[in-house]
Amino acid sequence: MASGYVRYDRGANIARRVWSFALIDRSLLRALITSAALAAGALLAGCNSDEVSLATNAKANQPVPPKLVAEMAEKDMDLQSPILTRLFKEEAELEVWKQTRSGRFALLKTYPICRWSGDLGPKVREGDRQAPEGFYAISPAQMNPQSAYYLSFNTGYPNAYDKSLGHTGSELMVHGDCSSRGCYAMTDEQIAEIYSLGRESFFGGQRSFQFQAYPFRMTALNMAKHRNNPNMAFWKMIKEGYDHFEVTRQEPKVDFCEKKYVFDAVKPPDAKRDPVFDASAKCPVYVIPDELAQAVREKQEQDNAEFAKLVAKGTPVARLNTGIDGGMNKVFASKLPNGSTGLSEGGEGQNLSLLAVSRAPGTIPPTVNPPHGPVTSPDEPLVASMTPAAAPVSTAPAPSTRVASAAPSAPSDEGFFSNLARKVGFGASADTTATTQPVAAKPKVIEAKKASKPETSKPDVRQAAARPPLKPSVSDAQAPTVAAATPAGKDGAVAGSAPIVQPNSFDNRFSAFK
């Protein structure tokens, strides 16, 4: 009998344990299983062990908001189907595309960018404050759940093309905290949502998701407006990939040779092996599939014809940047006293004031610094004060980054609607936001750095000690919380180079559980 009771108790214990596991949140259990699988794979294949940390804390495990899941169902998308991201500096928008059950990508959601730094054009050297442009691939190892900027992912700059030109830079990220020094900064709530979408795509078997960064939407009008820009040759080259995606709604395969991008290249019909590409070497023999090449050619002919018409009728040329540092989406600029969109599109003055009554998609930290006017010295790091009472902080010259200065603005420079919105509590308070020097023309972005946290060159892998562990989703949040800024790294991101993007097919992607 005694042994019988022992057997019964053991059975009951096992049952209770099984029941306990059944009560564990499914997404957390899935994350634990996936992390274990990634760890096993790393041990067997010698992979980067950073992959194991894809979703091992509460911030990185936040579920995709129910509202966004419902939108996926309406658009015939699966939660764990592949994603693709596109980003546009001038419009200050980041798009997340998701593969539908038809195999084509469709736009899931567009996120306004809270802050980006630098100018329109590619990044060239370490410390130039430029946010990169081009095509990059984001793998699980580039996702950073321990970021000092709430959550982040490494863009993978420099890729093979960048390296072939001798371009340098490291730690270029898309992250939260609305603070940029060469990165693309979202709000904490936004990056939590974007991170969750990337995480789910990896759980579904996507090996890497493509990140396409552009100066602006590659339309005939924008190309005409910027026709005199010295970066036009580069922009025409990456527009080729933009056009491939536009006509196919498939992730373009990216290769490099002769120091240029090549999109959707395949071996010739009579070849026995696939072409081998080297960014610095002569291009191998390859072809573009006829149907794809024809569709792209027709689109480009239409774009070129429209471009010619716009130029012929005298479409104004965009003024080249004379010292403005980056931009900010107008929905965020409208919440700040004397806020400016900088190099990004958006209304000025009264138009921004009218937007002040709308809700921002996430928390704008009190340390945020909107775009400002021309810098005073081209290669000096910027440290801006957090309060208007403090004098601007000057720094010693450094040969790699620009300098900008912030000065208190007179109350009389604010518009009527801006004053009204701030008084009733819609705008940011003047005693919590770094003040800006108003400019008559297009303003220039200045980075706000937390005075109590000096700049460090360490990678963006630190956990912010005082930051709340979770942020509400931008899809469902009603009252966002405030996040503190803790810059890290010379350009504000994590180092890494992007692998060549593979064709978009589940058959060609690894499964996290294999």
Side-chain angles (χ1 to χ4, degrees):
M1 290 293 290
S3 61
Y5 279 114
V6 171
R7 285 195 297 272
Y8 176 80
D9 289 344
R10 287 177 179 171
N13 284 334
I14 292 173
R16 282 195 297 269
R17 289 173 183 172
V18 170
W19 178 249
S20 297
F21 275 110
L23 296 178
I24 295 177
D25 181 79
R26 291 183 179 180
S27 63
L28 177 58
L29 182 61
R30 183 174 63 250
L32 294 173
I33 294 173
T34 303
S35 296
L38 288 171
L43 291 174
L44 293 174
C47 298
N48 190 331
S49 60
D50 287 343
E51 294 186 7
V52 180
S53 65
L54 174 64
T56 55
N57 63 33
K59 291 186 300 182
N61 264 314
Q62 294 178 73
V64 176
K67 182 178 179 181
L68 204 54
V69 174
E71 290 181 24
M72 292 180 199
E74 292 176 1
K75 297 180 179 181
D76 200 29
M77 302 168 177
D78 292 318
L79 174 63
Q80 295 186 341
S81 67
I83 67 169
L84 179 147
T85 55
R86 299 199 306 178
L87 184 147
F88 307 94
K89 288 180 177 178
E90 194 168 67
E91 291 82 359
E93 291 180 341
L94 184 152
E95 298 176 340
V96 175
W97 293 68
K98 200 161 180 63
Q99 191 180 58
T100 65
R101 294 186 180 95
S102 71
R104 290 165 61 88
F105 280 84
L107 180 62
L108 174 61
K109 187 169 181 177
T110 300
Y111 297 85
I113 298 173
C114 194
R115 193 70 168 82
W116 61 272
S117 58
D119 197 356
L120 300 181
K123 183 174 183 63
V124 174
R125 70 182 188 279
E126 182 86 38
D128 62 5
R129 294 181 65 85
Q130 281 291 101
E133 294 174 8
F135 286 70
Y136 301 89
I138 314 302
S139 68
Q142 290 164 247
M143 306 289 280
N144 185 9
Q146 303 294 339
S147 174
Y149 297 93
Y150 196 71
L151 290 168
S152 62
F153 64 82
N154 177 8
T155 63
Y157 177 92
N159 63 17
Y161 164 80
D162 302 317
K163 292 177 180 178
S164 72
L165 296 177
H167 293 174
T168 59
S170 60
E171 305 176 1
L172 279 301
M173 311 257 294
V174 176
H175 58 67
D177 212 36
C178 193
S179 174
S180 173
R181 297 181 62 256
C183 301
Y184 295 107
M186 318 300 291
T187 63
D188 289 359
E189 293 84 356
Q190 287 177 313
I191 193 62
E193 193 168 292
I194 297 167
Y195 191 101
S196 71
L197 292 170
R199 180 197 67 218
E200 292 301 319
S201 75
F202 292 136
F203 287 166
Q206 185 173 21
R207 185 172 184 176
S208 63
F209 65 85
Q210 195 170 88
F211 176 71
Q212 305 175 7
Y214 300 98
F216 39 72
R217 296 187 187 278
M218 311 300 277
T219 63
L221 176 59
N222 282 334
M223 298 297 278
K225 286 166 52 180
H226 295 277
R227 59 187 180 273
N228 291 344
N229 194 291
N231 293 300
M232 184 52 68
F234 171 74
W235 292 340
K236 287 181 177 179
M237 179 174 63
I238 62 174
K239 182 180 182 295
E240 185 85 14
Y242 178 93
D243 291 341
H244 278 232
F245 180 72
E246 285 292 304
V247 301
T248 66
R249 289 294 188 255
Q250 297 284 348
E251 180 183 287
K253 177 177 174 288
V254 181
D255 291 298
F256 313 97
C257 60
E258 297 179 10
K259 300 182 179 181
K260 66 180 181 181
Y261 279 84
V262 177
F263 298 99
D264 290 316
V266 297
K267 65 182 179 182
D270 56 347
K272 295 182 179 180
R273 62 179 62 183
D274 291 330
V276 178
F277 288 87
D278 184 320
S280 299
K282 183 178 179 181
C283 290
V285 177
Y286 68 88
V287 297
I288 307 297
D290 290 341
E291 185 177 354
L292 172 59
Q294 178 62 26
V296 171
R297 186 162 49 248
E298 290 175 358
K299 180 185 184 305
Q300 292 178 344
E301 288 174 353
Q302 293 174 0
D303 289 347
N304 292 338
E306 180 65 20
F307 175 89
K309 291 179 181 177
L310 292 167
V311 173
K313 73 176 186 179
T315 298
V317 175
R319 185 173 57 183
L320 295 179
N321 178 21
T322 57
I324 301 173
D325 182 20
M328 171 181 277
N329 190 281
K330 60 186 178 181
V331 71
F332 296 111
S334 67
K335 303 297 183 292
L336 305 174
N338 295 318
S340 168
T341 56
L343 295 178
S344 295
E345 291 180 342
E348 297 293 337
Q350 183 174 335
N351 290 335
L352 287 180
S353 298
L354 293 175
L355 283 171
V357 297
S358 64
R359 185 195 308 169
T363 302
I364 304 177
T367 53
V368 68
N369 213 353
H372 285 249
V375 296
T376 57
S377 178
D379 283 304
E380 212 174 355
L382 165 68
V383 179
S385 60
M386 291 173 57
T387 61
V393 180
S394 62
T395 59
S400 58
T401 50
R402 290 180 174 176
V403 164
S405 60
S409 300
S412 60
D413 291 334
E414 294 184 348
F416 169 77
F417 289 99
S418 179
N419 259 325
L420 177 61
R422 189 155 60 88
K423 288 177 181 178
V424 298
F426 292 113
S429 175
D431 61 353
T432 58
T433 305
T435 56
T436 68
Q437 179 68 41
V439 292
K442 213 172 182 181
K444 171 147 194 171
V445 181
I446 294 182
E447 293 294 344
K449 294 185 179 180
K450 193 169 183 179
S452 61
K453 297 270 185 177
E455 179 181 337
T456 174
S457 59
K458 292 182 180 180
D460 180 21
V461 294
R462 298 171 288 121
Q463 179 69 43
R467 188 183 303 285
L470 296 177
K471 290 283 179 177
S473 154
V474 293
S475 293
D476 302 320
Q478 296 300 320
T481 55
V482 174
T486 7
K490 292 183 179 179
D491 281 39
V494 174
S497 63
I500 293 176
V501 179
Q502 301 300 320
N504 182 39
S505 167
F506 276 108
D507 295 334
N508 293 329
R509 303 177 187 279
F510 77 96
S511 170
F513 298 95
K514 289 184 180 179

